[in-house]
Amino acid sequence: VDLRRLRPVVEAAALRGRAVLVVHGEHDPLVPVAQGEAIAQAYGARLWITASLAHAGSLRDGPHTYAAIMLRFFTRHLMDE
């Protein structure tokens, strides 16, 4: 996938009204946290900013916390469906 061609903020309208959790590392070297904030706002989503130093490193950096938050989020929203 050519990541330069993806426009998640533009595509956000398709998911509006659905439960979305955006996870973004505060120190992501590839994608600034402001972009994570913009994506969450466009989706009307919950935003969880982690202390991760790597892109897509939130799970690896804190697996127990990550699993607990994901479980809580999905349980809440899948049970509501």
Side-chain angles (χ1 to χ4, degrees), residues 10-68:
V10 173
E11 302 299 325
L15 293 177
R16 200 115 234 359
R18 295 184 186 180
V20 174
L21 172 61
V22 175
V23 180
H24 198 98
E26 184 175 16
H27 305 287
D28 183 333
L30 299 177
V31 180
V33 73
Q35 288 187 21
E37 293 167 341
I39 291 167
Q41 183 177 7
Y43 283 108
R46 178 171 170 231
L47 174 63
W48 175 34
I49 298 174
T50 72
S52 181
L53 300 174
H55 183 73
S58 299
L59 171 60
R60 184 187 61 242
D61 294 350
H64 298 293
T65 301
Y66 188 95

